Amino acid sequence: MPRRIVILDTTLRDGEQAPGFSMNLDEKLEVARQLARLGVDVIEAGYPVTSPGDFASVKEIARVVRGPTIASLARAVDKDIDAAWEAVRGAERPRIHVVLATSPLLMEYRLRMGPDQVLELAASAVRRARALCPEVQFSAEDATRSDPDFLCRVLQAAIGAGAAIVNVPDTVGYSVPDEYAELIRRVRGGVPDIEKATLSAHCHDDLGLAVANTLAAIGAGAQQVECTINGLGERAGNAALEELVMCLATRADVLHAYCGVDTTQIYGTSKLVQAVTGVRPQPNKAIVGDNAFAHESGGHQAGLAANKATYEIMTPESVGLPTSRLVLGKHSGRAAFEERVAFLGFHPRPGALPALFEGFKELADKKKTVTDRDLEALVLGVSAKVNETFRLDRFVINSGSGIAATSAVRLIGQDAPMPERVSLGDGPIDASFKAIDKIVGKHPVLEDFSLDAVTGGKDAQGEARVRIQFGGRRYNGRGLSTDVVEASIKAYIAAINAMAQDTEDTREPDSGS
Ligand code: KIV
Ligand code: ZN
């Protein structure tokens, strides 16, 4: 009998914890809504004690998103647990997730506690969380480098104190599949009350084994798996949701397990996360990479033409990849536009539709045809554009070989044009960024900049991505235009807007997990 696996998505917590992946409240809410559409069982929405911004996003997601359980992370510290509860209490199904390290290394160097203290703290922290919240998850951080007997005692203490879910994280991505499966079996055999709890697996990808380890855990009896969209997460990331879910869907014959995710929402969710984080997976990334369903070799193409099963183990449609090359043009009406957007799996808020349609018309005026890729880029660009503090009004550049480039930029802020500023630079893009710095009166460090063509052809749209750093925090921006300088300026302004919207930086330096 196949087993139903609970999917916990931690894109908004472990994923967001990775440097350069921070999202603002509106972006997190949009991702959370999409995760609910995707059909995950649990959304880990954040780590409220770390910053007012994290607290506010967990609170808003808990208030607004219906369907999945909303989990809120806390260390085994009273103020963390109280903050986690305050943030998540409005959820339809709230969960406090308490984490406490159990490996000798982390107990000694991070917690500065002995095993007995940790054992006691695990129980008291879960008890405190359980007094507030009907559902509590306990995670033994660095479980895979912990003494298995001690790990079993801690998990038993957590269950005894009321934890309904116990998690065995491979925090540093150190395990290999057989070993991790063995640890899961050991926990199942060594924790007397394990049947009273759901056993969870949480794997990091430092050795590229996060998905393999998670599947091994399922084989050994884990009932919940923790993962992120596009495999985002600390360092090398977490197990990728899309890979796990498509393994379950494609290899049910050997895995004997299934989950409740609507696989046709995978592509749209991945794209949304790319848009809000500004980070694109590599082209050969399984399931959601640009080449995941591209067949280049003539022999493969001939085989596919004869029978898709020759080289396709799953269909692009099954993950929601738009395959149609249907094009819209400047004569297409709003109804056709909206229908196509919905067909591609996007559900923009009704309030965003006029701006989207306007963007489509502008694009259709510049380009002969507007393809699905163009539409996708447009929708993601506009939906990621929340609460714009600054907008581009106009720019003029002067550049050429042998002369310094200059750029004059005017922005609109609070609905009125701001004074124009001119700057010299190392090329027109650098000059424009410097002019914007002068306007906003801030000088962030440009950490990353990339430019890609969204579609082919002379009239292709350029997609610029920018990452800036200011005050120890990183902000991403993305801009689209058929003019690459304009795309770059828009991306830079989007990053500046993310910076402007960020709440004061009160993150604790050691935010844990
Ligand atoms: O990797 C880890 O140990 C974590 C815990 C909070 C589950 O992210
Ligand atoms: Zn983790």
Side-chain angles (χ1 to χ4, degrees), residues 33 39 41 72 79 99 113 154 179 198 202 267 309 344 353 418 452 482 493 512-513:
R33 284 199 172 102
D41 301 288
S72 178
K79 72 171 170 125
V99 57
M113 284 183 194
V154 174
E179 185 190 25
T198 296
H202 176 113
Y267 183 78
L344 294 177
L353 281 168
M418 302 172 78
D452 284 305
T482 47
I493 296 172
S513 50

Side-chain angles (χ1 to χ4, degrees), residues 11 44 49 115 193 237 274 289 293 365 422 446 452-453 470:
T11 307
E44 184 158 60
V49 85
D193 285 332
Q274 290 179 44
F293 291 92
D365 267 343
V422 182
L446 180 65
D452 284 305
F470 187 75

Side-chain angles (χ1 to χ4, degrees), residues 8 10 13-14 17 44 47 73-74 97-100 106 137-143 167-173 201-204 226 234-235 238 512-513:
L8 180 150
T10 182
R13 199 278 301 167
D14 224 337
Q17 229 166 274
E44 184 158 60
Y47 194 174
L73 186 67
H97 177 186
V98 176
V99 57
L100 180 64
L106 295 198
Q137 167 166 339
F138 176 81
S139 286
E141 188 184 3
D142 207 11
N167 185 24
V168 180
D170 186 25
T171 303
V172 290
H202 176 113
C203 297
H204 281 266
E226 309 194 356
E234 287 269 10
R235 307 177 311 278
N238 289 55
S513 50

Side-chain angles (χ1 to χ4, degrees), residues 24-33 60-61 64-65:
N24 63 33
L25 191 148
D26 293 307
E27 290 166 341
K28 285 185 186 171
L29 192 57
E30 192 152 358
V31 170
R33 284 199 172 102
E60 190 59 5
I61 291 168
V64 169
V65 177

